[in-house]
Amino acid sequence: MKTFEDLQNIWDQQAVSNIKPAANDVIEKAEAHTKKIKRNHLWTRIILSLTAIILIVYYIWVGAYKQTVFSFGLGIMITMLVVRIALEWRSARKFENLKTDVPLIEYSKQAQHFYQWRKKIHYIFTPIIYMTYVAGFTLLLPVFKENLSKGFYLYILVSGFGFLLFFGVMLVRIIKREVKLLDFLKNIS
């Protein structure tokens, strides 16, 4: 039984850890998360805006307005990007309007409201926008099939849906990461 007594002595000698994070540590972590959320909003708007601009230039360049189905499909894709950009701008505004100089209870209410807004964007608007965007792309395929060589059409088909699948997986990961950040900010109080 000597081994058990040795283990018991080692266990008893451990210091009880009641160390709680200092307020400054929590504030620094919250500020880091806040900066990360702001940066994510900015990059999302930049990427979506560039994509929308590319699609608009492509729309004009190929004269898509002359072909009804192609125009409709590309119009849906552009519209969905613009809607998503508008949601990101509004979200960034809401985030900027969170007042950090108010009492903790008030800040907590504001953070909760922002958190609920972002959850709506991620779990309601984003899937609808994404699926509508995919539908717009699908509307382009008959025109591509009719006007492009079989090999190039197959390339567009595989790479297009491959990209959309890859983008969908990345979107889910990004959403999960942002919800974790928002959970941290929400649970500070």
Side-chain angles (χ1 to χ4, degrees), residues 40 44 47 84 118 122 167-181:
N40 288 347
T44 300
I47 291 168
R84 187 67 168 96
R118 287 304 290 179
H122 290 318
F167 183 72
V169 169
M170 291 303 296
L171 193 60
V172 168
R173 286 184 178 173
I174 290 168
I175 287 171
K176 283 181 181 179
R177 208 173 317 135
E178 183 177 334
V179 168
K180 274 186 186 179
L181 287 173

Side-chain angles (χ1 to χ4, degrees), residues 20-148:
K20 294 183 179 176
N24 287 340
D25 294 338
V26 174
I27 291 170
E28 285 176 17
K29 197 170 186 180
E31 287 174 350
H33 286 336
T34 300
K35 286 179 184 176
K36 193 170 188 175
I37 289 171
K38 286 180 181 180
R39 195 171 43 246
N40 288 347
H41 282 241
L42 177 66
W43 279 108
T44 300
R45 289 186 310 228
I46 289 171
I47 291 168
L48 291 173
S49 296
L50 285 174
T51 306
I53 289 168
I54 290 169
L55 287 177
I56 290 168
V57 168
Y58 181 72
Y59 182 87
I60 294 167
W61 180 61
V62 298
Y65 48 85
K66 297 176 186 173
Q67 300 172 348
T68 308
V69 174
F70 194 76
S71 178
F72 187 63
L74 205 51
I76 287 173
M77 293 171 70
I78 292 168
T79 302
M80 290 301 102
L81 286 171
V82 170
V83 167
R84 187 67 168 96
I85 292 166
L87 287 172
E88 282 301 313
W89 276 102
R90 184 160 184 221
S91 192
R93 275 275 220 250
K94 283 181 176 260
F95 192 71
E96 289 292 326
N97 289 336
L98 286 178
K99 295 179 179 119
T100 56
D101 59 348
V102 296
L104 186 59
I105 294 172
E106 180 63 29
Y107 177 78
S108 179
K109 287 178 186 177
Q110 292 176 12
Q112 180 72 18
H113 182 69
F114 178 76
Y115 177 75
Q116 293 301 328
W117 165 252
R118 287 304 290 179
K119 280 179 73 174
K120 281 181 191 174
I121 288 176
H122 290 318
Y123 298 129
I124 297 171
F125 295 123
T126 298
I128 291 169
I129 290 169
Y130 184 76
M131 295 308 292
T132 308
Y133 186 87
V134 171
F137 177 73
T138 305
L139 287 173
L140 301 178
L141 294 177
V143 177
F144 286 149
K145 187 174 186 176
E146 183 181 308
N147 295 310
L148 301 173

